[in-house]
Amino acid sequence: MRRVAFNRAAFNRAAFNRAAFNRAAFNRAAFNRAALNAAALGVLAVSVFPVYWMVITAFKPTVDILTETPAFWPARPTLDHFATAVRAAGFWTFWRNSLAVTVSAVLLALVVALPSAFAVARLRWSGRRGFVLMVFVAQTAPWSALLVPVYIIARDADMLDRLPTLTLVYFVTTLPFTIVTLRGFIAGVPPELEEAALMDGCGRAEAFRRVVLPLLAPGLMSTSLFGFITAWNEFAFANALMIKDQGDRTLPIWLSGFSNVFGTDWGATMAAATLFMLPVLLVFLVLQRRVSAGMIAGAVKG
């Protein structure tokens, strides 16, 4: 009886110690989770605040923008700055130029990257490793360092002040990322699906179009959005290659010089920048789930 009572007491102490350890571990995990959440909120606030300030400035009257005491919410919201931005000379022309160049570059990158990524992910051919290495090197290259060589080539080829030149530059800029990302998606599609289609009488191209391509929708969306953002916001090459013909400039260049005879109109500038941001924001909100899944899958597959 003494041994039974002793063992029961030892068991109770062990259970108490185990419960105390579990509570301490739970408290540490809760504290770490709270600290990580607070850090994430801090990073989010620092990242989002400039955008928030831009948007609310676009809705503030001019007298509230220039006041010494800033207001974090417009007391008297107005749409006058948006009207000024939309009616400004060249706004719609530069908007159309930006849209044409961006969409063309993204479509060209997808058309070239799809077969390239398929060849790298599915086929075995001489020079495949060297090609993949070259693509990765091109992706990590600092494109700003190529600004002067690209300008010299465009000047010598008489290709300055032309939208196709800018489209070609954006196409080359976004192509390596598109190939690498789509390669991961194609490698993640089971080859057995293509083999089954081939056994059913499909050719390789038809099997790719009917089987693989529908499964690449998240990858196509995520890479397209990345390319769209890159080309839509690009400033350096557009500023260097479009130096004479004002009608062929893109919207970022127009925004950088948005002013009137009295100086910079900050309200209209912020309104124009808000309108400039809307297309990418709307596309991202519509495709948010697919884009998030696509970025994650493209990072871990292959």
Side-chain angles (χ1 to χ4, degrees):
M1 293 299 294
R2 290 180 181 176
R3 182 176 299 175
V4 173
F6 174 78
N7 290 339
R8 184 177 301 166
F11 175 79
N12 291 336
R13 285 195 301 271
F16 176 80
N17 293 334
R18 188 163 51 250
F21 176 79
N22 291 336
R23 284 195 300 270
F26 176 79
N27 292 334
R28 285 195 300 271
F31 175 79
N32 293 335
R33 188 161 50 248
L36 289 176
N37 290 336
L41 289 176
V43 172
L44 178 64
V46 172
S47 303
V48 173
F49 182 77
V51 180
Y52 166 77
W53 196 254
M54 176 189 72
V55 174
I56 66 167
T57 302
F59 287 96
K60 288 181 179 180
T62 303
V63 64
D64 292 342
I65 296 175
L66 301 178
T67 183
E68 295 182 357
T69 304
F72 290 88
W73 188 257
R76 297 166 296 172
T78 179
L79 297 177
D80 293 342
H81 299 310
F82 289 94
T84 302
V86 171
R87 291 196 299 262
F91 177 79
W92 292 112
T93 299
F94 297 137
W95 181 288
R96 184 175 63 251
N97 292 343
S98 291
L99 188 62
V101 169
T102 300
V103 173
S104 300
V106 171
L107 291 179
L108 281 174
L110 290 178
V111 169
V112 176
L114 266 176
S116 302
F118 181 81
V120 171
R122 284 285 192 265
L123 307 181
R124 297 294 179 266
W125 41 277
S126 178
R128 174 176 169 271
R129 292 181 180 273
F131 176 80
V132 174
L133 178 62
M134 182 177 63
V135 171
F136 274 104
V137 171
Q139 183 182 357
T140 57
W143 288 101
S144 57
L146 302 178
L147 183 60
V148 174
V150 169
Y151 172 81
I152 295 175
I153 293 173
R155 183 198 61 189
D156 295 343
D158 194 22
M159 296 178 64
L160 293 176
D161 297 301
R162 297 183 181 182
L163 289 178
T165 303
L166 205 56
T167 301
L168 183 61
V169 171
Y170 293 165
F171 156 69
V172 174
T173 303
T174 58
L175 182 61
F177 173 84
T178 307
I179 293 177
V180 171
T181 305
L182 291 181
R183 169 182 172 269
F185 277 94
I186 295 175
V189 177
E192 292 78 11
L193 297 178
E194 291 181 77
E195 295 173 359
L198 294 175
M199 294 180 62
D200 289 340
C202 294
R204 182 170 289 276
E206 187 178 4
F208 176 80
R209 180 174 62 85
R210 291 179 176 271
V211 177
V212 179
L213 191 58
L215 299 177
L216 296 180
L220 294 174
M221 291 180 183
S222 59
T223 52
S224 299
L225 182 60
F226 172 81
F228 190 92
I229 294 174
T230 301
W232 184 262
N233 294 328
E234 203 283 323
F235 176 84
F237 282 98
N239 189 45
L241 300 179
M242 302 294 175
I243 56 178
K244 294 180 181 179
D245 193 348
Q246 301 293 323
D248 283 341
R249 291 193 169 188
T250 54
L251 203 55
I253 308 303
W254 179 80
L255 284 174
S256 67
F258 189 85
S259 60
N260 53 30
V261 294
F262 302 104
T264 303
D265 187 346
W266 292 112
T269 302
M270 296 299 104
T274 302
L275 294 175
F276 177 74
M277 178 188 66
L278 282 182
V280 176
L281 181 61
L282 292 177
V283 171
F284 181 79
L285 291 178
V286 172
L287 305 178
Q288 180 180 6
R289 291 186 178 181
R290 286 184 175 271
V291 167
S292 300
M295 289 182 177
I296 296 173
V300 301
K301 291 182 180 178

